[in-house]
């Protein structure tokens, strides 16, 4: 009986579908979600090349300004002392490579008395500075004759031994020459001088005044 009932129900269901034309429901799966986009690899950071400095550095510029100021102050004081010592007996001159040049005035019947004077300020008085100043002084045809006194000034000096050896070497090289050159290294920060015993009196007096400030 149960089987007959089920058969009737099935027949009724099939008849209903045939009458309405409805198709059996079909369950479809939802479309799969799209995968996330693949991230791009990071781009390498390229640093722009820095420009290469071709001009003088700030330190060089500051040092140059300082040297200019010290040179001017040194030579101003030197000229003041020179005016007190030389008076009207010397005439100033211009000699390439030197900050100061002066020679005794010529007399009526001969040359002036005393050595010609040369002054140079350098960043450091050492063997190289001694050699350069000596060579430049030897090329000067001083109107007063062949006796020349070079005063080489700086706030930085090599050791006394190095300076003595450098001066001795220049004297040895110029021993056969006609010019008599005396070179005096001077520490212009305190006006101490490496004064040779045979330095001319005018140079000794000049350095004495520079040291005393009077």
């Amino acid at each position: 009986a149960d089987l007959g009932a089920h058969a009737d129900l099935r027949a009724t269901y099939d008849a209903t579908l045939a009458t309405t034309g409805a198709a059996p429901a079909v369950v479809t799966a939802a479309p799969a979600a799209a995968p996330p986009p693949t991230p791009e690899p990071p781009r390498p950071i390229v640093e722009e090349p820095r420009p290469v400095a071709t001009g003088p550095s700030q330190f060089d510029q500051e040092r140059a300004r300082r040297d200019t100021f010290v040179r001017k102050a040194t030579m101003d004081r030197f000229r003041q002392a020179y005016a007190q010592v030389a008076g009207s007996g010397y005439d100033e001159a211009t000699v390439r490579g030197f900050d100061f040049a002066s020679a005794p005035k010529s007399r009526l019947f001969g040359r002036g008395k005393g050595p010609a004077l040369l002054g140079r300020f350098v960043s450091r008085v050492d063997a190289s500075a001694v050699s350069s100043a000596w060579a430049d002084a030897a090329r000067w045809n001083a109107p007063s004759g062949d006796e020349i006194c070079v005063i080489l000034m700086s706030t930085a000096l090599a050791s006394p031994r190095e300076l003595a050896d450098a001066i001795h070497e220049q004297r040895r090289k110029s021993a056969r020459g006609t010019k008599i050159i005396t070179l005096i290294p001077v520490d212009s920060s305190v006006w101490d001088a490496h004064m040779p015993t045979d330095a001319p009196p005018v140079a000794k007096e000049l350095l004495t005044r520079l040291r005393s400030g009077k």
Side-chain angles (χ1 to χ4, degrees), residues 3 28 39-40 42 57-58 69 78 94 102 118 126 133 148 170 189-190 194 204 211:
L3 292 175
T28 58
E40 294 183 0
S57 65
Q58 182 177 356
F69 173 80
F78 182 90
T94 300
S102 179
L118 291 173
D126 53 16
I148 301 173
Q170 295 305 316
S189 61
V190 292
H194 297 268
K204 293 180 178 179
R211 230 179 352 256

Side-chain angles (χ1 to χ4, degrees), residues 190-208:
V190 292
W191 295 106
D192 282 343
H194 297 268
M195 186 76 69
T197 56
D198 59 350
V202 65
K204 293 180 178 179
E205 185 179 356
L206 179 60
L207 268 300
T208 298

Side-chain angles (χ1 to χ4, degrees), residues 77 154-155 186-193 207 210-212:
R77 183 166 175 177
S154 178
T155 57
V186 178
D187 182 351
S188 58
S189 61
V190 292
W191 295 106
D192 282 343
L207 268 300
L210 284 167
R211 230 179 352 256
S212 65

